[in-house]
Amino acid sequence: MRWFIIAHCFSLLLELVLLRRQSDQAKDLQILLLRRQLEIVQRKLDQPLRVSRAEKFSLALLTVRLKRVAGQNVRELRDEIRIFQPETVLKWHRELVRRKWTYRHRAPSGRPSTGVDVELLVLR
């Protein structure tokens, strides 16, 4: 039991040292990410965990921003993302980016083109 307490205190001190090295922006993003996850879990406490598109969007953006600011890899993101796998959240972000850059080609609007025989008739 003593070793457990000593190990726990040592890990707490190590986390405090590592936390002091992080920027304020990275800490703020971690807090926001954890709050969003807590809101999702509290709302879906007695139900299966299904997230809406807006929740996916916010979690994906916060995760990618945290990854960029803190310089973390996917393995290190497991400490901040608790209710989903980091790979899943990053997949949501890739889908959002892909959806942004793809668009539907609309049918050309305006006056319809004239046929070749009509053009020849006009030229005559």
Side-chain angles (χ1 to χ4, degrees), residues 103-112:
Y103 57 92
R104 293 184 180 141
H105 296 284
R106 296 182 182 161
S109 60
R111 191 169 125 184

Side-chain angles (χ1 to χ4, degrees), residues 78-123:
R78 289 183 199 275
D79 295 334
E80 281 82 23
I81 302 173
R82 299 291 180 160
I83 58 176
F84 301 106
Q85 294 293 324
E87 294 86 4
T88 304
V89 178
L90 294 174
K91 182 184 79 169
W92 293 341
H93 182 262
R94 285 191 299 271
E95 288 173 1
L96 287 170
V97 170
R98 183 176 42 234
R99 202 174 301 137
K100 177 185 179 202
W101 290 107
T102 58
Y103 57 92
R104 293 184 180 141
H105 296 284
R106 296 182 182 161
S109 60
R111 191 169 125 184
S113 60
T114 57
V116 177
D117 54 341
V118 175
E119 286 182 19
L120 291 175
L121 181 63
V122 169
L123 288 176

Side-chain angles (χ1 to χ4, degrees), residues 34-86:
L34 290 171
R35 282 184 181 175
R36 293 290 171 243
Q37 293 177 74
L38 184 62
E39 286 175 8
I40 292 171
V41 170
Q42 285 177 342
R43 189 171 36 82
K44 302 283 187 170
L45 199 55
D46 298 330
Q47 304 166 358
L49 194 63
R50 292 190 183 127
V51 291
S52 68
R53 198 177 250 183
E55 292 167 339
K56 287 180 182 181
F57 178 74
S58 64
L59 286 176
L61 288 181
L62 286 171
T63 302
V64 169
R65 183 73 179 152
L66 178 65
K67 183 179 175 191
R68 189 175 302 136
V69 168
Q72 296 178 338
N73 59 19
V74 176
R75 200 169 345 128
E76 294 168 342
L77 284 174
R78 289 183 199 275
D79 295 334
E80 281 82 23
I81 302 173
R82 299 291 180 160
I83 58 176
F84 301 106
Q85 294 293 324

